Amino acid sequence: MQFIEGGWPGANPKDAAFFARATSELKLHSSRLVAFGSTRRANGDVENDPNLRALVASGVADVCIVAKAWDYHVVHALRTSLEEALAMVRDSVAFLVGHGCNVFLDAEHFFDGFKGNPDFAIAVLSAAAEGGASTLVLCDTNGGTLPSEIPSIISKVNDQIALPFGVHFHNDSGCAVANSLIAVDLGATQVQGCLNGYGERTGNANLVPIIAALSLKQAISTIPPQNLQLLTTTARHIAEITNLPLSPQTPYVGSSAFTHKAGLHVSAIARRSDAYEHINPDLVGNHSRFVVSEMAGRQTLLIKAGELGLELTDDATTSLLQRLKDLEHQGYHFEVADGSLELLMRHALGWVQPYFEVESYRVATDGYHGPELLTEATVKVRVNDNRIIATAEGNGPVHALDQALRQALQTTYPSLKTMGLDDYKVRVLDTSSGTDAVVRVLIDFSDSETQWTTTGVSTNIIEASFSALTEGFVLALVKTTSSEGSAQ
Amino acid sequence: MQFIEGGWPGANPKDAAFFARATSELKLHSSRLVAFGSTRRANGDVENDPNLRALVASGVADVCIVAKAWDYHVVHALRTSLEEALAMVRDSVAFLVGHGCNVFLDAEHFFDGFKGNPDFAIAVLSAAAEGGASTLVLCDTNGGTLPSEIPSIISKVNDQIALPFGVHFHNDSGCAVANSLIAVDLGATQVQGCLNGYGERTGNANLVPIIAALSLKQAISTIPPQNLQLLTTTARHIAEITNLPLSPQTPYVGSSAFTHKAGLHVSAIARRSDAYEHINPDLVGNHSRFVVSEMAGRQTLLIKAGELGLELTDDATTSLLQRLKDLEHQGYHFEVADGSLELLMRHALGWVQPYFEVESYRVATDGYHGPELLTEATVKVRVNDNRIIATAEGNGPVHALDQALRQALQTTYPSLKTMGLDDYKVRVLDTSSGTDAVVRVLIDFSDSETQWTTTGVSTNIIEASFSALTEGFVLALVKTTSSEGSAQ
């Protein structure tokens, strides 16, 4: 990223503290940190404007200030004259430039403003240019602009303004990515947006598909070429940090973006992937996936089994297809639960897991006022010819069951110590009946080498969780015992 | 919807069964049902083609068949000659037209095909026109086409083909909605897509923002005008049925699409909503929301309190802002949990709920092999001066706790009988530590008149659920006792 906006140092103590630390502690390789703010107050004085002073005090060289480019807002929100609004822009930019800043002007509501009063919208850009701004950014703040409206507006800007311009689209019409790409075609040199499209309401323009399209399809340089293949891991990592999960359908970087499901295409894709994928997923660090579903044909199942290192017989494939259909009807979903799918394939081949047998389990939570909440689980398992009873406490029922199962099995299978639970997801499937609904649980596991996901479905969340949990343990044992060359 | 594609009657028994029942049982008001299929096989004979015969046998008058418009696919997937591919199109369309069908031709991979071999892509359209097709649909099957590529391709189609044309975009580049709108500007009369954008990989063009933009911003008629205001409920209802939850950020119909959060704008929006919203949300059956978050100013809280019928004092607002900040830091999120927010506001005003006090609770699940799984909960509560102990079984821990709490309270508060749990959601917040992570629970409640949502956060899913559950009970009692005029 050429520029990263770090916040509004004048708006609140948290953003001010960020800039105080960022300028000394943050090591940016090729990116430059930008401080955001607004123009001076109406009828105010730049020298004494706390917001402008905070921008200068932030210590960064690049600042972006927002100014209203829609006369309607000047009259009804700022409640000042159009002349004063232009003076606010000119004075504020000049003040910051005078303090050595490189200034971007965000012309707020530019597209709506242009449609209502093009002269004023253009005058705001001119005022910023007179003040010494380096780039003028046309903002679609309410996100209502449609692709067809952009060429005529931008061509008029190009006719009247000589400075470089950028764009800033919101996604309220579902067109923020396309509008940004169209604007770049028309000469925009800066695209403001957000990785993964986060932002108020329907979000800002998602920079991920914009970067990918410009770099891979239009030969316009964006991020360094060697970083393009980090796009998928970066988008997913940011989704983890922000705790705003990425939809699997996300273009380019979603887990389903190159996933092929219908039986129809799978064999053809295996031959010629460029006929069925708009880019090579490797270029953005993603990969093709073939998933198994009710619609899956034999071919899809065989390819998937091959990925897992299993060879399905004809009979096994037939029984597996029927079993998958029954389970999907119950609410199972194997698209991500490749661990559970592997076990189904092994079972279809007649395999029975030889590691342990659960006789019973019990988990109880006692809640009192205060901090004494206790969850305790007991599992009774048979391992070889031993009967083992183990009890453990946990932070919650699944944690307690995990701990009890480990305790019961680790003496016999010490390799389980390297296995961890990475994620636990719950989805209520039938929302029409509240707590009586069917629940699907997904658990992600990993050891030092691989990761796997299992699933369980039940009206009882404990049962669904315990089923996914035990499958995860079985797979951990499959992986370690087969790598040790033991019999399966 | 003018046309609804119901499936592929030749592909599997389920789709064939659908058409068998739909033609007699489904009552469509203004929509027409379309059967999907493909052209005849290479070197085959239309009269004996099982797929074409199934289309005719489906009993619907409108059919859509797909044909490859990319020479690369003809050579590598169909493995036949370009001449035979054109004959397949011409023969198949003519066969269906001869059986009285209105035929749409989906020219698969049209845009990619046009870029590689425009003559062949156009020849496919011509062959369909010669066969008697009524509309030719240009498909971007891999979804890689960018907005800038569309005008020149479509203008060449317009130059050479006289029939009406439609478009079918996939969202792999994040541009399916915009591309569809651009195509309509260039003369497309049919847009194929899916409500909510469901579909393989990254999905099909989402018809919701396309309908809204064409109807509300471009004065192009789509669905009947009086149905536009049903767009939000329809999109959400379909999301419920498909069990593919709608992102709150979904343009036009998402719960956040007209949600205003930053303190900055809220007072201005209250004055002039058209300055901050690209359309009036009422037009699509959505509405503006003001949500409370860490960033909320006093003004936002006061507006929200007003919505709930509460009058916050200055002191209460100050303490509430601090409390919200602390709770959000722990993982609480009140944007949807307006029930829990209402209780926080009441507590900030010094209110203590007078209905019941939970002394302790206990929930245990016993799992054995077989169907004997049992979950049982016991709650001990004080109601007025009585101590009540109630035990109930349930399908899972939350259900059991709900049943036990009802049993304990319903004698004193019979109005609880009309209160139900509508939805239960679990979100794991910190995915870095598996079962040890913080869990946020949301529960939706309703009675005959209103609905409310509560939230609970804990490392223990049982504790988070029980907290949200008891808050939901308290709110049910607030609502009934205040409507009965009792003291609070």
Side-chain angles (χ1 to χ4, degrees), chain A residues 213-242:
Chain A
L214 294 177
S215 289
L216 297 171
K217 298 183 180 182
Q218 306 205 286
I220 292 173
S221 72
T222 56
I223 61 175
Q226 69 275 18
N227 289 351
L228 270 175
Q229 61 186 327
L230 301 174
L231 214 46
T232 298
T233 47
T234 304
R236 293 181 186 178
H237 183 65
I238 290 174
E240 283 292 314
I241 292 172
T242 57

PDB file of all heavy atoms in Angstrom, chain A residues 213-242:
ATOM      1  N   ALA A 213      -7.387  -6.920 -10.078  1.00  0.00           N
ATOM      2  CA  ALA A 213      -7.786  -6.609 -11.459  1.00  0.00           C
ATOM      3  C   ALA A 213      -6.762  -5.704 -12.124  1.00  0.00           C
ATOM      4  O   ALA A 213      -6.349  -5.956 -13.266  1.00  0.00           O
ATOM      5  CB  ALA A 213      -9.179  -5.959 -11.475  1.00  0.00           C
ATOM      6  N   LEU A 214      -6.350  -4.642 -11.418  1.00  0.00           N
ATOM      7  CA  LEU A 214      -5.411  -3.704 -12.040  1.00  0.00           C
ATOM      8  C   LEU A 214      -4.082  -4.390 -12.332  1.00  0.00           C
ATOM      9  O   LEU A 214      -3.520  -4.238 -13.415  1.00  0.00           O
ATOM     10  CB  LEU A 214      -5.199  -2.481 -11.134  1.00  0.00           C
ATOM     11  CG  LEU A 214      -6.430  -1.575 -10.931  1.00  0.00           C
ATOM     12  CD1 LEU A 214      -6.104  -0.451  -9.950  1.00  0.00           C
ATOM     13  CD2 LEU A 214      -6.911  -0.998 -12.260  1.00  0.00           C
ATOM     14  N   SER A 215      -3.578  -5.152 -11.365  1.00  0.00           N
ATOM     15  CA  SER A 215      -2.263  -5.770 -11.546  1.00  0.00           C
ATOM     16  C   SER A 215      -2.283  -6.913 -12.551  1.00  0.00           C
ATOM     17  O   SER A 215      -1.386  -7.024 -13.381  1.00  0.00           O
ATOM     18  CB  SER A 215      -1.751  -6.313 -10.210  1.00  0.00           C
ATOM     19  OG  SER A 215      -1.399  -5.261  -9.356  1.00  0.00           O
ATOM     20  N   LEU A 216      -3.308  -7.771 -12.438  1.00  0.00           N
ATOM     21  CA  LEU A 216      -3.279  -9.004 -13.227  1.00  0.00           C
ATOM     22  C   LEU A 216      -3.972  -8.883 -14.575  1.00  0.00           C
ATOM     23  O   LEU A 216      -3.671  -9.633 -15.500  1.00  0.00           O
ATOM     24  CB  LEU A 216      -3.934 -10.147 -12.436  1.00  0.00           C
ATOM     25  CG  LEU A 216      -3.216 -10.528 -11.137  1.00  0.00           C
ATOM     26  CD1 LEU A 216      -4.064 -11.508 -10.343  1.00  0.00           C
ATOM     27  CD2 LEU A 216      -1.852 -11.128 -11.463  1.00  0.00           C
ATOM     28  N   LYS A 217      -4.919  -7.964 -14.687  1.00  0.00           N
ATOM     29  CA  LYS A 217      -5.694  -7.908 -15.927  1.00  0.00           C
ATOM     30  C   LYS A 217      -5.454  -6.638 -16.714  1.00  0.00           C
ATOM     31  O   LYS A 217      -5.765  -6.588 -17.898  1.00  0.00           O
ATOM     32  CB  LYS A 217      -7.194  -8.016 -15.609  1.00  0.00           C
ATOM     33  CG  LYS A 217      -7.567  -9.325 -14.937  1.00  0.00           C
ATOM     34  CD  LYS A 217      -9.065  -9.409 -14.705  1.00  0.00           C
ATOM     35  CE  LYS A 217      -9.428 -10.724 -14.036  1.00  0.00           C
ATOM     36  NZ  LYS A 217     -10.886 -10.852 -13.855  1.00  0.00           N
ATOM     37  N   GLN A 218      -4.959  -5.597 -16.042  1.00  0.00           N
ATOM     38  CA  GLN A 218      -4.824  -4.337 -16.771  1.00  0.00           C
ATOM     39  C   GLN A 218      -3.384  -3.820 -16.801  1.00  0.00           C
ATOM     40  O   GLN A 218      -3.142  -2.722 -17.285  1.00  0.00           O
ATOM     41  CB  GLN A 218      -5.755  -3.277 -16.173  1.00  0.00           C
ATOM     42  CG  GLN A 218      -7.205  -3.768 -16.115  1.00  0.00           C
ATOM     43  CD  GLN A 218      -8.191  -2.640 -16.115  1.00  0.00           C
ATOM     44  OE1 GLN A 218      -8.353  -1.944 -15.124  1.00  0.00           O
ATOM     45  NE2 GLN A 218      -8.854  -2.447 -17.245  1.00  0.00           N
ATOM     46  N   ALA A 219      -2.467  -4.612 -16.254  1.00  0.00           N
ATOM     47  CA  ALA A 219      -1.050  -4.236 -16.269  1.00  0.00           C
ATOM     48  C   ALA A 219      -0.811  -2.837 -15.709  1.00  0.00           C
ATOM     49  O   ALA A 219       0.004  -2.080 -16.212  1.00  0.00           O
ATOM     50  CB  ALA A 219      -0.481  -4.364 -17.689  1.00  0.00           C
ATOM     51  N   ILE A 220      -1.580  -2.497 -14.669  1.00  0.00           N
ATOM     52  CA  ILE A 220      -1.364  -1.220 -13.977  1.00  0.00           C
ATOM     53  C   ILE A 220      -0.756  -1.580 -12.626  1.00  0.00           C
ATOM     54  O   ILE A 220      -1.328  -2.377 -11.877  1.00  0.00           O
ATOM     55  CB  ILE A 220      -2.703  -0.479 -13.793  1.00  0.00           C
ATOM     56  CG1 ILE A 220      -3.231  -0.038 -15.161  1.00  0.00           C
ATOM     57  CG2 ILE A 220      -2.545   0.709 -12.848  1.00  0.00           C
ATOM     58  CD1 ILE A 220      -4.625   0.549 -15.137  1.00  0.00           C
ATOM     59  N   SER A 221       0.390  -1.004 -12.332  1.00  0.00           N
ATOM     60  CA  SER A 221       1.075  -1.479 -11.131  1.00  0.00           C
ATOM     61  C   SER A 221       0.384  -0.957  -9.885  1.00  0.00           C
ATOM     62  O   SER A 221      -0.008   0.201  -9.798  1.00  0.00           O
ATOM     63  CB  SER A 221       2.553  -1.104 -11.156  1.00  0.00           C
ATOM     64  OG  SER A 221       2.692   0.270 -10.953  1.00  0.00           O
ATOM     65  N   THR A 222       0.229  -1.831  -8.924  1.00  0.00           N
ATOM     66  CA  THR A 222      -0.388  -1.463  -7.630  1.00  0.00           C
ATOM     67  C   THR A 222       0.614  -1.840  -6.543  1.00  0.00           C
ATOM     68  O   THR A 222       1.619  -1.157  -6.398  1.00  0.00           O
ATOM     69  CB  THR A 222      -1.735  -2.181  -7.442  1.00  0.00           C
ATOM     70  OG1 THR A 222      -1.546  -3.598  -7.563  1.00  0.00           O
ATOM     71  CG2 THR A 222      -2.758  -1.712  -8.470  1.00  0.00           C
ATOM     72  N   ILE A 223       0.374  -2.925  -5.848  1.00  0.00           N
ATOM     73  CA  ILE A 223       1.348  -3.382  -4.851  1.00  0.00           C
ATOM     74  C   ILE A 223       2.509  -4.048  -5.587  1.00  0.00           C
ATOM     75  O   ILE A 223       2.372  -4.432  -6.745  1.00  0.00           O
ATOM     76  CB  ILE A 223       0.695  -4.341  -3.830  1.00  0.00           C
ATOM     77  CG1 ILE A 223       0.149  -5.605  -4.517  1.00  0.00           C
ATOM     78  CG2 ILE A 223      -0.440  -3.630  -3.089  1.00  0.00           C
ATOM     79  CD1 ILE A 223      -0.387  -6.645  -3.545  1.00  0.00           C
ATOM     80  N   PRO A 224       3.671  -4.187  -4.925  1.00  0.00           N
ATOM     81  CA  PRO A 224       4.797  -4.832  -5.607  1.00  0.00           C
ATOM     82  C   PRO A 224       4.394  -6.225  -6.113  1.00  0.00           C
ATOM     83  O   PRO A 224       3.734  -6.975  -5.396  1.00  0.00           O
ATOM     84  CB  PRO A 224       5.846  -4.947  -4.499  1.00  0.00           C
ATOM     85  CG  PRO A 224       5.496  -3.878  -3.515  1.00  0.00           C
ATOM     86  CD  PRO A 224       4.007  -3.749  -3.568  1.00  0.00           C
ATOM     87  N   PRO A 225       4.767  -6.568  -7.341  1.00  0.00           N
ATOM     88  CA  PRO A 225       4.316  -7.823  -7.960  1.00  0.00           C
ATOM     89  C   PRO A 225       4.581  -9.055  -7.084  1.00  0.00           C
ATOM     90  O   PRO A 225       3.752  -9.959  -7.028  1.00  0.00           O
ATOM     91  CB  PRO A 225       5.132  -7.887  -9.257  1.00  0.00           C
ATOM     92  CG  PRO A 225       5.509  -6.475  -9.548  1.00  0.00           C
ATOM     93  CD  PRO A 225       5.610  -5.762  -8.245  1.00  0.00           C
ATOM     94  N   GLN A 226       5.714  -9.061  -6.389  1.00  0.00           N
ATOM     95  CA  GLN A 226       6.035 -10.249  -5.585  1.00  0.00           C
ATOM     96  C   GLN A 226       5.100 -10.390  -4.380  1.00  0.00           C
ATOM     97  O   GLN A 226       5.044 -11.436  -3.751  1.00  0.00           O
ATOM     98  CB  GLN A 226       7.505 -10.239  -5.140  1.00  0.00           C
ATOM     99  CG  GLN A 226       7.887  -9.177  -4.125  1.00  0.00           C
ATOM    100  CD  GLN A 226       8.243  -7.820  -4.754  1.00  0.00           C
ATOM    101  OE1 GLN A 226       7.900  -7.550  -5.909  1.00  0.00           O
ATOM    102  NE2 GLN A 226       8.905  -6.965  -3.990  1.00  0.00           N
ATOM    103  N   ASN A 227       4.355  -9.324  -4.052  1.00  0.00           N
ATOM    104  CA  ASN A 227       3.417  -9.402  -2.930  1.00  0.00           C
ATOM    105  C   ASN A 227       2.019  -9.850  -3.327  1.00  0.00           C
ATOM    106  O   ASN A 227       1.197 -10.130  -2.459  1.00  0.00           O
ATOM    107  CB  ASN A 227       3.325  -8.043  -2.228  1.00  0.00           C
ATOM    108  CG  ASN A 227       4.584  -7.711  -1.466  1.00  0.00           C
ATOM    109  OD1 ASN A 227       5.471  -8.566  -1.315  1.00  0.00           O
ATOM    110  ND2 ASN A 227       4.693  -6.483  -1.002  1.00  0.00           N
ATOM    111  N   LEU A 228       1.757  -9.913  -4.630  1.00  0.00           N
ATOM    112  CA  LEU A 228       0.415 -10.288  -5.076  1.00  0.00           C
ATOM    113  C   LEU A 228       0.017 -11.659  -4.547  1.00  0.00           C
ATOM    114  O   LEU A 228      -1.128 -11.885  -4.170  1.00  0.00           O
ATOM    115  CB  LEU A 228       0.355 -10.316  -6.605  1.00  0.00           C
ATOM    116  CG  LEU A 228      -0.026  -9.006  -7.283  1.00  0.00           C
ATOM    117  CD1 LEU A 228       0.091  -9.184  -8.780  1.00  0.00           C
ATOM    118  CD2 LEU A 228      -1.438  -8.585  -6.897  1.00  0.00           C
ATOM    119  N   GLN A 229       0.972 -12.553  -4.504  1.00  0.00           N
ATOM    120  CA  GLN A 229       0.641 -13.903  -4.056  1.00  0.00           C
ATOM    121  C   GLN A 229       0.363 -13.963  -2.549  1.00  0.00           C
ATOM    122  O   GLN A 229      -0.020 -15.006  -2.027  1.00  0.00           O
ATOM    123  CB  GLN A 229       1.767 -14.875  -4.427  1.00  0.00           C
ATOM    124  CG  GLN A 229       3.077 -14.501  -3.785  1.00  0.00           C
ATOM    125  CD  GLN A 229       4.217 -15.379  -4.265  1.00  0.00           C
ATOM    126  OE1 GLN A 229       4.011 -16.536  -4.554  1.00  0.00           O
ATOM    127  NE2 GLN A 229       5.403 -14.806  -4.338  1.00  0.00           N
ATOM    128  N   LEU A 230       0.565 -12.836  -1.853  1.00  0.00           N
ATOM    129  CA  LEU A 230       0.229 -12.790  -0.427  1.00  0.00           C
ATOM    130  C   LEU A 230      -1.180 -12.244  -0.198  1.00  0.00           C
ATOM    131  O   LEU A 230      -1.623 -12.093   0.943  1.00  0.00           O
ATOM    132  CB  LEU A 230       1.237 -11.908   0.319  1.00  0.00           C
ATOM    133  CG  LEU A 230       2.695 -12.343   0.226  1.00  0.00           C
ATOM    134  CD1 LEU A 230       3.607 -11.306   0.875  1.00  0.00           C
ATOM    135  CD2 LEU A 230       2.874 -13.701   0.900  1.00  0.00           C
ATOM    136  N   LEU A 231      -1.867 -11.937  -1.290  1.00  0.00           N
ATOM    137  CA  LEU A 231      -3.170 -11.282  -1.163  1.00  0.00           C
ATOM    138  C   LEU A 231      -4.160 -12.140  -0.363  1.00  0.00           C
ATOM    139  O   LEU A 231      -4.873 -11.636   0.512  1.00  0.00           O
ATOM    140  CB  LEU A 231      -3.711 -10.996  -2.567  1.00  0.00           C
ATOM    141  CG  LEU A 231      -4.546  -9.736  -2.786  1.00  0.00           C
ATOM    142  CD1 LEU A 231      -3.950  -8.502  -2.160  1.00  0.00           C
ATOM    143  CD2 LEU A 231      -4.746  -9.519  -4.285  1.00  0.00           C
ATOM    144  N   THR A 232      -4.193 -13.433  -0.642  1.00  0.00           N
ATOM    145  CA  THR A 232      -5.159 -14.300   0.053  1.00  0.00           C
ATOM    146  C   THR A 232      -4.838 -14.410   1.538  1.00  0.00           C
ATOM    147  O   THR A 232      -5.707 -14.205   2.388  1.00  0.00           O
ATOM    148  CB  THR A 232      -5.195 -15.687  -0.614  1.00  0.00           C
ATOM    149  OG1 THR A 232      -5.641 -15.534  -1.963  1.00  0.00           O
ATOM    150  CG2 THR A 232      -6.140 -16.624   0.123  1.00  0.00           C
ATOM    151  N   THR A 233      -3.584 -14.699   1.866  1.00  0.00           N
ATOM    152  CA  THR A 233      -3.257 -14.828   3.290  1.00  0.00           C
ATOM    153  C   THR A 233      -3.419 -13.494   4.002  1.00  0.00           C
ATOM    154  O   THR A 233      -3.855 -13.461   5.152  1.00  0.00           O
ATOM    155  CB  THR A 233      -1.819 -15.348   3.506  1.00  0.00           C
ATOM    156  OG1 THR A 233      -0.934 -14.609   2.669  1.00  0.00           O
ATOM    157  CG2 THR A 233      -1.706 -16.816   3.188  1.00  0.00           C
ATOM    158  N   THR A 234      -3.096 -12.399   3.322  1.00  0.00           N
ATOM    159  CA  THR A 234      -3.244 -11.091   3.966  1.00  0.00           C
ATOM    160  C   THR A 234      -4.713 -10.784   4.250  1.00  0.00           C
ATOM    161  O   THR A 234      -5.072 -10.383   5.357  1.00  0.00           O
ATOM    162  CB  THR A 234      -2.638  -9.988   3.074  1.00  0.00           C
ATOM    163  OG1 THR A 234      -1.284 -10.326   2.796  1.00  0.00           O
ATOM    164  CG2 THR A 234      -2.689  -8.631   3.757  1.00  0.00           C
ATOM    165  N   ALA A 235      -5.552 -10.990   3.247  1.00  0.00           N
ATOM    166  CA  ALA A 235      -6.986 -10.719   3.439  1.00  0.00           C
ATOM    167  C   ALA A 235      -7.538 -11.586   4.573  1.00  0.00           C
ATOM    168  O   ALA A 235      -8.301 -11.115   5.421  1.00  0.00           O
ATOM    169  CB  ALA A 235      -7.752 -10.980   2.141  1.00  0.00           C
ATOM    170  N   ARG A 236      -7.127 -12.840   4.611  1.00  0.00           N
ATOM    171  CA  ARG A 236      -7.659 -13.746   5.649  1.00  0.00           C
ATOM    172  C   ARG A 236      -7.100 -13.395   7.025  1.00  0.00           C
ATOM    173  O   ARG A 236      -7.801 -13.494   8.031  1.00  0.00           O
ATOM    174  CB  ARG A 236      -7.360 -15.198   5.286  1.00  0.00           C
ATOM    175  CG  ARG A 236      -8.127 -15.629   4.042  1.00  0.00           C
ATOM    176  CD  ARG A 236      -7.883 -17.075   3.669  1.00  0.00           C
ATOM    177  NE  ARG A 236      -8.522 -17.373   2.398  1.00  0.00           N
ATOM    178  CZ  ARG A 236      -8.443 -18.557   1.793  1.00  0.00           C
ATOM    179  NH1 ARG A 236      -7.739 -19.546   2.336  1.00  0.00           N
ATOM    180  NH2 ARG A 236      -9.064 -18.745   0.651  1.00  0.00           N
ATOM    181  N   HIS A 237      -5.841 -12.995   7.046  1.00  0.00           N
ATOM    182  CA  HIS A 237      -5.221 -12.627   8.318  1.00  0.00           C
ATOM    183  C   HIS A 237      -5.907 -11.380   8.892  1.00  0.00           C
ATOM    184  O   HIS A 237      -6.212 -11.317  10.088  1.00  0.00           O
ATOM    185  CB  HIS A 237      -3.730 -12.373   8.101  1.00  0.00           C
ATOM    186  CG  HIS A 237      -2.991 -12.055   9.358  1.00  0.00           C
ATOM    187  ND1 HIS A 237      -2.853 -12.960  10.388  1.00  0.00           N
ATOM    188  CD2 HIS A 237      -2.369 -10.923   9.764  1.00  0.00           C
ATOM    189  CE1 HIS A 237      -2.162 -12.404  11.373  1.00  0.00           C
ATOM    190  NE2 HIS A 237      -1.860 -11.162  11.024  1.00  0.00           N
ATOM    191  N   ILE A 238      -6.169 -10.419   8.029  1.00  0.00           N
ATOM    192  CA  ILE A 238      -6.841  -9.199   8.490  1.00  0.00           C
ATOM    193  C   ILE A 238      -8.255  -9.532   8.966  1.00  0.00           C
ATOM    194  O   ILE A 238      -8.737  -8.976   9.948  1.00  0.00           O
ATOM    195  CB  ILE A 238      -6.828  -8.134   7.381  1.00  0.00           C
ATOM    196  CG1 ILE A 238      -5.390  -7.625   7.207  1.00  0.00           C
ATOM    197  CG2 ILE A 238      -7.765  -6.972   7.712  1.00  0.00           C
ATOM    198  CD1 ILE A 238      -5.185  -6.685   6.055  1.00  0.00           C
ATOM    199  N   ALA A 239      -8.901 -10.458   8.287  1.00  0.00           N
ATOM    200  CA  ALA A 239     -10.237 -10.883   8.726  1.00  0.00           C
ATOM    201  C   ALA A 239     -10.173 -11.493  10.126  1.00  0.00           C
ATOM    202  O   ALA A 239     -11.054 -11.285  10.953  1.00  0.00           O
ATOM    203  CB  ALA A 239     -10.836 -11.878   7.735  1.00  0.00           C
ATOM    204  N   GLU A 240      -9.102 -12.234  10.394  1.00  0.00           N
ATOM    205  CA  GLU A 240      -8.921 -12.805  11.736  1.00  0.00           C
ATOM    206  C   GLU A 240      -8.728 -11.694  12.765  1.00  0.00           C
ATOM    207  O   GLU A 240      -9.327 -11.700  13.828  1.00  0.00           O
ATOM    208  CB  GLU A 240      -7.689 -13.720  11.772  1.00  0.00           C
ATOM    209  CG  GLU A 240      -7.891 -15.081  11.134  1.00  0.00           C
ATOM    210  CD  GLU A 240      -8.864 -15.946  11.924  1.00  0.00           C
ATOM    211  OE1 GLU A 240      -8.729 -16.015  13.158  1.00  0.00           O
ATOM    212  OE2 GLU A 240      -9.766 -16.531  11.295  1.00  0.00           O
ATOM    213  N   ILE A 241      -7.835 -10.767  12.435  1.00  0.00           N
ATOM    214  CA  ILE A 241      -7.522  -9.693  13.385  1.00  0.00           C
ATOM    215  C   ILE A 241      -8.756  -8.844  13.667  1.00  0.00           C
ATOM    216  O   ILE A 241      -9.050  -8.514  14.811  1.00  0.00           O
ATOM    217  CB  ILE A 241      -6.397  -8.790  12.831  1.00  0.00           C
ATOM    218  CG1 ILE A 241      -5.081  -9.555  12.765  1.00  0.00           C
ATOM    219  CG2 ILE A 241      -6.236  -7.546  13.695  1.00  0.00           C
ATOM    220  CD1 ILE A 241      -3.984  -8.785  12.058  1.00  0.00           C
ATOM    221  N   THR A 242      -9.472  -8.495  12.620  1.00  0.00           N
ATOM    222  CA  THR A 242     -10.648  -7.646  12.818  1.00  0.00           C
ATOM    223  C   THR A 242     -11.828  -8.454  13.329  1.00  0.00           C
ATOM    224  O   THR A 242     -12.826  -7.887  13.752  1.00  0.00           O
ATOM    225  CB  THR A 242     -11.100  -6.990  11.496  1.00  0.00           C
ATOM    226  OG1 THR A 242     -11.364  -8.043  10.555  1.00  0.00           O
ATOM    227  CG2 THR A 242     -10.030  -6.075  10.942  1.00  0.00           C
TER     228      THR A 242
END
